Amino acid sequence: MGSAHKIVSSGMENIEIMGLVAAVLTTYSIVPQVHKTWRNKSTKDISLTMYMAMFLGVVLWLIYGIYHESVPMILANFITAVLLFVMIVLKLKYK
Amino acid sequence: MGSAHKIVSSGMENIEIMGLVAAVLTTYSIVPQVHKTWRNKSTKDISLTMYMAMFLGVVLWLIYGIYHESVPMILANFITAVLLFVMIVLKLKYK
């Protein structure tokens, strides 16, 4: 029974670690795009509508996270919003 | 007091509607990029790393949503994962 309890409790921890990894991945993912765009100074293939809709959505997630006092949601969505804003500026600069 | 209660309760509904709008916007945002890439058949300026990291992150959010039995998280992340997968296929096809 001791080892069964151990499996269940480590399973519950794992799902929260998975949520954290998910937040880091979806937030981090914008970085290589910013890096590529910054280096190549070309945004022909990039959809401005995508970045504007995603930015607006992430800002709403940020407000939702502030309301629900969720620190991971606030941090992840704040950093993502900043990165998406940089992409929008780069798209408008190099369009 | 009746009207104050009405303001508070409508405020609580609004935040959940805002969460729903946030989910729709962040999910929908990939559509104009898929459309642009499908039409132009060019992905030179698009970072494969971004889409792969975001896809992996969204799949983990999907598993997280399934574990927490959150229908909005499951739906939003499933549709987003499909759209990101299409973008990865298009990037590999038109690289």
Side-chain angles (χ1 to χ4, degrees), chain A residues 84-94:
Chain A
L84 292 172
F85 185 76
V86 170
M87 276 304 298
I88 291 169
V89 170
L90 290 174
K91 171 70 184 175
L92 293 173
K93 196 174 170 189
Y94 300 129

Side-chain angles (χ1 to χ4, degrees), chain B residues 1-7:
Chain B
M1 283 301 282
S3 85
H5 173 77
K6 212 165 164 182
I7 290 162

Side-chain angles (χ1 to χ4, degrees), chain A residues 41-44 46 48 89-95:
Chain A
K41 299 186 182 4
S42 171
T43 59
K44 185 178 64 70
I46 282 165
L48 179 62
V89 170
L90 290 174
K91 171 70 184 175
L92 293 173
K93 196 174 170 189
Y94 300 129
K95 77 186 300 186

Side-chain angles (χ1 to χ4, degrees), chain B residues 35-46:
Chain B
H35 181 248
K36 187 186 184 90
T37 308
W38 193 280
R39 197 185 52 209
N40 293 352
K41 298 184 182 10
S42 171
T43 59
K44 184 178 65 67
D45 300 334
I46 282 164

